[in-house]
Amino acid sequence: MYDNAVKGIVCLAKQKSCRQRWNIRPSEMSINTLNPIRAIVDGMKLTPNPEKPMIALSIGDPTVFGNLPTDDKVLQAMKDAIDSNKYNGYAPSVGYQKSREVVANFYSCPEAPLEAEDVLLTSGCSQAIDLAITVLCNPGDNILVPCPGFSLYKTLAVSLGIQVKLYTLLPEKSWEIDLQHMESLIDDRTTCLIVNNPSNPCGSVYSKEHLQNILSVASKHCVPILADEIYGDMVFPGCTYQSMASLSSDVPILACGGLAKRWLVPGWRLGWILIHDKNQIFGKEIRQGLVKLSQRILGACTIVQGAIESILNDTPQEFYHRTISFLESNSEICYSELSTVPGLTPVMPSGAMYLMVGIAMEHFPEFQNDVQFTERLVTEQSVFCLPATAFEYPNYFRIVVTVPEEMMVEACTRIREFCQRHYRTCSQDSNELDQ
């Protein structure tokens, strides 16, 4: 009996150690990680018309064309931080204490006060969103995500085994949330409601009343909110931006933001999470969880952290006004031009840097969907707009309004020519079928 046991152990040891060949497989997490935009764009046949220079209205990077530089004060702050030689080493994973104080002071308000301990500095807003989702959710839980909405939410969640439930936005109401639909999706495994305001890809800005209604649903069902506010304060004249936390009496909120858009430096990779928890519902556990998760990498760029005080406090208001004025003007040009194009229905934005355009696909029978429509637009007119299927909202496309004005005018002219060539009335469709 003893001999048999020894033989069994030896046999088991051989099974464990004697691999016959290499068999290295990618992790389940890597397999489950998918960026919908990349998946769609990489599958498109994008061959521009060689007779027309390419105009890309698809890239959400305001620096691409060089017409929207950051302010000189922002650049000087970075130069001073480098020259100081104080920020070349490792910082705490949650950021320098002084830098966290600066961000807390900048965003603190009487309705939603902040201290340094309420701020985590991150490697861009994307990492802030990643940490927020990861600290709130376990595999098998679900989160509520806007549709159309920023594709990263789903990319991050699905890779972690978290189910994504899409709630509908209403274009006829300037992309307000369909609150009834959103509420119907909530169940016992719902651990987070993501609200993006101002919105990518819609450019919408929610009213105080609508934000309060969202908060009422979250409060009723005890669901915390991840507020993606990377475009906070980037709103057009006549609109007012309000952070969700400033309106919340009880709903705990992780507000994610960063320098990327408002200061026009997306490559500098400095973001933050603002922890708003008036009633201590998150408690110590969520805060400690965020700190532990931040230790997986060593946080945001130290040089930018060293510059953050001057960036936030010394950037002149004129810089912000100039940026907003440009985005509003380009949005108005685009909306005005495309509103008179048969088969297209643009939705005028109120902020951010995007405009969504509906396609009446029944009037473009040559194309099965928005992907084919935008693909052919590149082939014939060398204008690339992102099909909204990338945001799980078919029969629309998104335009980025950060391009130089003359390029925006030219792009709209080309889109008009394209639609005029391919537009068919319903009677035309019937006659062609009869023939």
Side-chain angles (χ1 to χ4, degrees):
M1 186 179 215
Y2 174 78
D3 290 343
N4 289 338
V6 171
K7 288 178 180 177
I9 293 170
V10 171
C11 183
L12 183 61
K14 287 182 178 179
Q15 288 176 0
K16 286 184 176 179
S17 62
C18 297
R19 292 179 178 173
Q20 299 301 309
R21 60 180 180 272
W22 290 96
N23 184 26
I24 302 172
R25 306 293 301 158
S27 68
E28 290 295 320
M29 184 176 182
S30 69
I31 292 171
N32 292 331
T33 300
L34 175 70
N35 184 323
I37 293 178
R38 286 264 54 92
I40 290 168
V41 172
D42 290 348
M44 296 174 72
K45 298 185 179 83
L46 300 176
T47 308
N49 183 340
E51 297 180 3
K52 297 187 177 186
M54 184 69 172
I55 301 177
L57 303 178
S58 57
I59 306 169
D61 181 347
T63 71
V64 167
F65 296 96
N67 60 312
L68 288 174
T70 191
D71 191 75
D72 288 343
K73 292 279 189 181
V74 177
L75 295 177
Q76 189 60 50
M78 279 289 278
K79 293 173 185 175
D80 292 344
I82 292 171
D83 290 343
S84 75
N85 273 321
K86 294 179 181 178
Y87 306 106
N88 297 329
Y90 292 125
S93 63
V94 294
Y96 289 122
Q97 179 72 10
K98 176 62 176 177
S99 303
R100 296 166 70 195
E101 288 176 3
V102 168
V103 174
N105 291 336
F106 189 79
Y107 285 102
S108 186
C109 64
E111 301 80 12
L114 289 166
E115 299 179 354
E117 289 67 30
D118 302 317
V119 178
L120 275 82
L121 300 182
T122 61
S123 181
C125 187
S126 296
Q127 194 207 4
I129 294 168
D130 186 11
L131 294 179
I133 292 174
T134 307
V135 80
L136 293 175
C137 308
N138 288 307
D141 289 340
N142 65 74
I143 62 174
L144 307 187
V145 170
C147 182
F150 185 36
S151 61
L152 183 68
Y153 310 138
K154 184 173 182 178
T155 298
L156 295 172
V158 172
S159 71
L160 296 167
I162 299 161
Q163 181 188 4
V164 171
K165 293 185 175 182
L166 302 174
Y167 62 80
T168 303
L169 306 184
L170 303 170
E172 67 274 16
K173 292 187 176 182
S174 299
W175 302 108
E176 284 191 349
I177 297 172
D178 183 337
L179 295 171
Q180 186 175 357
H181 179 240
M182 184 185 77
E183 186 169 10
S184 73
L185 300 175
I186 298 173
D187 61 23
D188 291 341
R189 297 299 301 270
T190 303
T191 51
C192 177
L193 164 61
I194 296 181
V195 179
N196 180 206
N197 179 56
S199 163
N200 173 15
C202 302
S204 54
V205 179
Y206 293 150
S207 67
K208 177 180 179 180
E209 180 183 7
H210 191 58
L211 291 170
Q212 289 172 327
N213 290 337
I214 297 167
L215 286 163
S216 294
V217 174
S219 177
K220 176 181 175 181
H221 296 279
C222 300
V223 177
I225 289 177
L226 189 170
D228 180 356
E229 298 178 337
I230 186 64
Y231 297 98
D233 292 304
M234 293 183 72
V235 300
F236 301 159
C239 295
T240 302
Y241 165 74
Q242 287 193 281
S243 68
M244 292 216 74
S246 68
L247 300 174
S248 175
S249 59
D250 62 331
V251 177
I253 294 170
L254 297 179
C256 299
L259 292 181
K261 308 300 184 176
R262 193 179 182 205
W263 286 269
L264 305 175
V265 287
W268 290 10
R269 310 313 301 144
L270 183 72
W272 46 74
I273 298 176
L274 310 180
I275 304 170
H276 295 280
D277 189 25
K278 292 178 182 176
N279 299 337
Q280 303 301 311
I281 296 170
F282 282 147
K284 293 181 180 179
E285 291 81 1
I286 295 297
R287 291 174 181 268
Q288 290 172 348
L290 284 169
V291 172
K292 289 178 180 179
L293 288 170
S294 74
Q295 292 167 350
R296 296 175 69 190
I297 68 170
L298 284 174
C301 175
T302 54
I303 296 172
V304 189
Q305 290 188 56
I308 191 67
E309 181 173 13
S310 181
I311 290 173
L312 295 186
N313 295 336
D314 297 340
T315 302
Q317 288 299 313
E318 175 56 30
F319 166 74
Y320 303 126
H321 294 157
R322 190 166 58 247
T323 303
I324 291 298
S325 177
F326 175 84
L327 296 174
E328 182 186 32
S329 175
N330 254 11
S331 296
E332 289 175 341
I333 289 169
C334 185
Y335 177 79
S336 176
E337 290 294 323
L338 298 187
S339 290
T340 58
V341 175
L344 297 186
T345 306
V347 181
M348 181 64 191
S350 299
M353 12 188 263
Y354 311 101
L355 182 149
M356 288 279 276
V357 182
I359 313 167
M361 294 305 304
E362 66 273 17
H363 290 294
F364 299 97
E366 293 174 68
F367 313 116
Q368 293 182 4
N369 50 46
D370 56 305
V371 176
Q372 288 189 2
F373 181 97
T374 51
E375 189 176 70
R376 186 77 71 83
L377 182 58
V378 172
T379 302
E380 295 184 10
Q381 296 289 344
S382 296
V383 174
F384 184 28
C385 304
L386 197 62
T389 290
F391 307 108
E392 306 205 52
Y393 205 81
N395 302 335
Y396 276 77
F397 60 86
R398 186 193 74 174
I399 289 176
V400 178
V401 297
T402 56
V403 300
E405 181 179 316
E406 61 273 15
M407 291 180 69
M408 178 60 72
V409 172
E410 173 64 19
C412 290
T413 299
R414 295 188 198 175
I415 292 171
R416 177 183 297 276
E417 290 176 2
F418 176 82
C419 290
Q420 288 173 339
R421 178 179 301 167
H422 296 284
Y423 182 86
R424 301 289 182 271
T425 63
C426 293
S427 58
Q428 278 180 295
D429 297 343
S430 300
N431 291 337
E432 289 173 6
L433 287 172
D434 291 340
Q435 293 171 357

